[in-house]
Amino acid sequence: MGLLWTLFAIGAASGSFVFSYKEWKFSTTKSLLVIIILWGVITLVFAYASSLLLASICMVIAGVIFSPWDALVTTARQNSISLELQARVYGVTSSITTLGMPLGAWLTGLVLPYYGKEVVMTVASIATICLGLQGFTWSIFRQLDG
């Protein structure tokens, strides 16, 4: 597990270096949606990884995919939320993340013994891909570009 998370970190650091080297010329909204979709795709591949090598490759790619997320989300918040409300919004989103991550891990731990990693990760991956695709139809999400 330590190896896989280390490889994720290496991918994220490498991606951060590459993505920060030049100015980001893509739509913030579309970039976030593509990251969501690619995250679902790589998670789906990871679910069926039958070797440590394939799992390792998935984690490096996942790190690269995820690396621009924080910068893009921060940019979207700064561009779409008034300065007076930014502290509240950052606080609320931080609280949701702080609650959501362990809650998701706990729920996954409850269902994993009954359904197995392939089923749980496939359902989560498909839900993630569908959410990303659906985001392209949400007008409020497209407003993140300003």
Side-chain angles (χ1 to χ4, degrees):
M1 197 64 168
L3 171 67
L4 293 175
W5 282 114
T6 299
L7 291 170
F8 178 86
I10 290 169
S14 301
S16 295
F17 176 75
V18 169
F19 291 125
S20 66
Y21 182 68
K22 287 190 165 198
E23 182 181 342
W24 193 264
K25 295 182 182 195
F26 306 102
S27 155
T28 301
T29 300
K30 289 178 183 169
S31 297
L32 290 170
L33 292 171
V34 168
I35 290 170
I36 292 168
I37 293 165
L38 290 176
W39 184 263
V41 169
I42 200 67
T43 303
L44 186 59
V45 174
F46 183 77
Y48 294 95
S50 58
S51 70
L52 181 58
L53 177 62
L54 182 56
S56 297
I57 291 168
C58 286
M59 289 303 278
V60 171
I61 293 170
V64 171
I65 289 168
F66 191 70
S67 61
W69 178 266
D70 284 334
L72 291 170
V73 167
T74 301
T75 300
R77 284 182 190 147
Q78 290 172 340
N79 290 337
S80 62
I81 300 166
S82 69
L83 188 58
E84 296 81 27
L85 294 176
Q86 282 185 16
R88 289 185 202 169
V89 171
Y90 279 92
V92 168
T93 55
S94 177
S95 296
I96 291 169
T97 302
T98 301
L99 174 65
M101 293 177 98
L103 183 61
W106 176 69
L107 290 172
T108 301
L110 288 178
V111 299
L112 204 57
Y114 300 105
Y115 298 106
K117 76 171 180 73
E118 289 88 1
V119 171
V120 172
M121 290 181 75
T122 297
V123 169
S125 298
I126 290 171
T128 302
I129 293 166
C130 290
L131 178 69
L133 291 170
Q134 185 66 34
F136 283 103
T137 67
W138 294 337
S139 62
I140 194 155
F141 199 74
R142 288 192 302 271
Q143 294 173 0
L144 292 176
D145 285 325

